[in-house]
């Protein structure tokens, strides 16, 4: 699951939960799941004005009608070390 193709599949089937994996390269990592919901929102572009210090310019660039909300907690997970690192200070014994 991932990329544009995976997102397209999730959007095509109503009620599908969308998985989000914080560390996809980690085999012991578990995803959290987002629920699809209808919403009403705006997408704003906010830029700092170069002409007037301390002022901002805003521009509405879009409307949001649906979103996935990730409200669940993620699991605590064990991550094994990649490789045994040498002890600080060099030495071996």
């Amino acid at each position: 699951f991932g990329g544009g193709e995976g997102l397209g599949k999730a959007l095509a089937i109503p009620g599908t939960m969308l998985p989000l994996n914080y560390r996809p390269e980690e085999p012991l990592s578990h995803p959290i799941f987002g629920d699809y919901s209808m919403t009403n929102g705006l997408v704003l572009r906010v830029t700092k004005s170069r002409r007037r210090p301390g002022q901002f310019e805003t521009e509405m660039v879009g409307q949001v009608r649906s979103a996935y909300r990730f409200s669940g907690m993620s699991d605590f997970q064990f991550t094994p070390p990649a490789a045994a690192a040498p002890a600080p200070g060099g030495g071996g014994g």
Side-chain angles (χ1 to χ4, degrees), residues 1 4 8 18-19 21 23 28 38 46-47 49 56 60 67 77 82:
F1 210 100
L18 185 67
N21 201 325
R23 294 185 314 272
L28 298 176
M38 300 301 290
V46 180
T47 55
S49 176
F56 297 90
M60 187 181 90
Q77 299 168 12

Side-chain angles (χ1 to χ4, degrees), residues 67-80:
Y68 278 91
R69 298 185 189 271
F70 296 87
S71 58
M73 290 184 60
S74 59
D75 291 338
F76 288 99
Q77 299 168 12
F78 171 74
T79 304

Side-chain angles (χ1 to χ4, degrees), residues 40-47 57-65:
N40 231 349
L42 301 175
V43 178
L44 298 176
R45 177 181 293 141
V46 180
T47 55
E57 298 173 6
T58 59
E59 174 187 1
M60 187 181 90
V61 294
Q63 181 178 8
V64 179
R65 295 192 175 143

Side-chain angles (χ1 to χ4, degrees), residues 24-41:
E25 70 283 349
E26 196 64 49
L28 298 176
S29 176
H30 301 286
I32 60 172
F33 292 92
D35 295 314
Y36 180 80
S37 64
M38 300 301 290
T39 186
N40 231 349

